[in-house]
Amino acid sequence: MEEMILILDFGSQYTQLIARRIRELNVYSEIHPWNKIPPLGNHIKGVILSGSPFSVRQEDAPKPNLSMIRGRYPLLGVCYGAQYLAQSNGGRVEASETREYGRAMLESVNNSNELLEGIDAPTQVWMSHGDSIKELPKDSALICSTSSVENAGYTFNNEKTYAIQFHPEVYHTSAGKKLIENFIVKIGGCAQSWTPDSFVDASIAELKKKVGNDKVVLGLSGGVDSSVAAVLLQRAIGDNLYCVFVNNGLLRKNEYDEVLESYKHMGLNVKGVDASEAFYIELKGLSDPEAKRKAIGKVFIDVFDTESNKIENVKWLAQGTIYPDVIESVSGTGGPSVTIKSHHNVGGLPDFMKLEVVEPLRLLFKDEVRRVGKALGISPSILGRHPFPGPGLAIRILGDITPEKVSLLQEADHVWISLLKEHNLYDEVWQAGTILLPVQTVGVMGDERTYEQAVALRAVTSTDGMTADWSHLPFEFLAEVSNSIINKVKGINRVVYDISSKPPATIEWE
């Protein structure tokens, strides 16, 4: 990339939001761990220090060496970053008397300072910290305060180094976008030229350089990510791309045939492989979610190893991995954040596979992938598809997996998705699915007692999958869905609706 903002990650839950807000302003950003600073150069237009679950007062707290950054690049410390800049430069940080979390108002703003230009008090900000800066560092000046946090923001004199105690990346900070724009455009001088079209051009050039004339095998899923990755690779290497679509027996009803048909019109070289039996054998008796994910990942690897061996001189395995996959599987940066769950397409390949991995979408969020797909001319019917987990229905069946359970869930899920489309609600929902619960409930049909399965309906609104809210669908519609599932799907007599948001819940149940 010609220009970028470097974000040093100290493990904050909001670090990825910083990257997103910058990208929304058409500026490329990258997150790196605080202790693995990448090579610096003129392409870096600014550096941001993230928040952290650590206290700067802890002995094991992150303490980056900023000697090659301070004074050379515009620098912005956010929350922990602001406290670290204070403490390491003669300031004083102490535990707050009460934890300052949530909305606060900047009552005093020095908007003659370039970071706060165009921002007037009072303005709402979002606080999330247990420490407070009690004394500013040497050679610095206060630029904003709240009624309870006097040193809410400051700047170092005669250098482009700024620090704020609040989080501008969070939507609750009313002028957060303006503050970030001031930092990356007015102070950093970014040209705001990172667009879907520019990403496509840069990625194609990079893939040509990286892959050359080598052959690549790609696992298609029918979803947005793998489809965009496939078209991007095809633009770069043409007929050297070989696509494989695996039926793992855990897809939605009719999905295997429908997806293969949709790819016929895209000019991709696609081979369908029905490996359902192999997946069912590997999953037999497994109930633990992580065990199921790992079993599915193992069979995927086995299938692709078999298929890749049928392609003469293939050297690369391409995957549609995107940023949230990486972040939730391991720390996306190697930093101190925690693992949420594993993803079958994250973490490299076993030694016996003599393939190298290429992931053209690894640093993109879902909405960015869709915009890139639109720039590539991919059909809206594919780009508009809801995300679907790699392990498929295996993680929407709580407990062990059997073909009978899969068939039951497929039928219920088909009713759910079909009615969302019929009522023009599908595009208003970011992701929807049905979960087969490991319980049976008493019901009455006609004059007979039933004792059958229960399912939960899940529908969420989101931008990138990192956070999500449950979809507030009309009660009348949900009643129709419930009635249709119970009447049409023999074996289900109860339907519930999941109204949990992420966090604290995840979108999927497993």
Side-chain angles (χ1 to χ4, degrees), residues 217-231 233 241-248 251 255-256 259-260 262-264 266-273 300 304 317-320 344 378 382 385 390:
V217 60
L218 167 72
L220 282 172
S221 69
V224 177
D225 307 330
S226 64
S227 299
V228 173
V231 174
L233 276 158
L241 175 65
Y242 295 79
C243 299
V244 178
F245 178 46
V246 177
N247 180 10
N248 58 10
L251 302 174
E255 189 170 21
Y256 181 58
V259 168
L260 283 177
S262 70
Y263 282 128
K264 287 181 180 179
M266 295 175 64
L268 294 171
N269 175 23
V270 183
K271 177 182 180 181
V273 178
F300 263 116
F304 277 106
L317 172 64
Q319 299 187 134
H344 74 275
I378 297 175
I382 291 178
R385 290 193 68 189

Side-chain angles (χ1 to χ4, degrees), residues 4 105 120 167 171 201 204 231 289 322 361 382 407 438 447 462:
M4 63 170 275
M105 299 296 292
D120 297 320
H167 289 269
Y171 280 122
D201 293 341
I204 289 174
V231 174
I322 63 171
L361 309 178
I382 291 178
S407 178
D447 294 326
S462 181

Side-chain angles (χ1 to χ4, degrees), residues 226-347:
S226 64
S227 299
V228 173
V231 174
L232 202 54
L233 276 158
Q234 187 192 45
R235 296 279 179 90
I237 64 173
D239 292 340
N240 280 337
L241 175 65
Y242 295 79
C243 299
V244 178
F245 178 46
V246 177
N247 180 10
N248 58 10
L250 303 163
L251 302 174
R252 283 178 158 146
K253 183 179 179 180
N254 303 325
E255 189 170 21
Y256 181 58
D257 294 329
E258 290 173 358
V259 168
L260 283 177
E261 181 64 27
S262 70
Y263 282 128
K264 287 181 180 179
H265 308 292
M266 295 175 64
L268 294 171
N269 175 23
V270 183
K271 177 182 180 181
V273 178
D274 189 349
S276 305
E277 187 176 351
F279 282 92
Y280 285 143
I281 290 172
E282 194 70 28
L283 285 166
K284 188 174 181 179
L286 298 181
S287 298
D288 178 74
E290 279 298 289
K292 289 193 286 187
R293 286 177 180 273
K294 286 179 168 53
I296 290 167
K298 176 184 177 298
V299 180
F300 263 116
I301 292 295
D302 291 342
V303 171
F304 277 106
D305 186 47
T306 300
E307 293 304 317
S308 65
N309 286 328
K310 297 176 183 178
I311 305 169
E312 189 176 354
N313 297 323
V314 66
K315 291 186 178 181
W316 298 85
L317 172 64
Q319 299 187 134
T321 309
I322 63 171
Y323 215 6
D325 297 340
V326 178
I327 293 164
E328 289 192 334
S329 295
V330 292
S331 165
T333 63
S337 53
V338 299
T339 298
I340 307 291
K341 57 188 176 184
S342 64
H343 289 257
H344 74 275
N345 59 338
V346 177

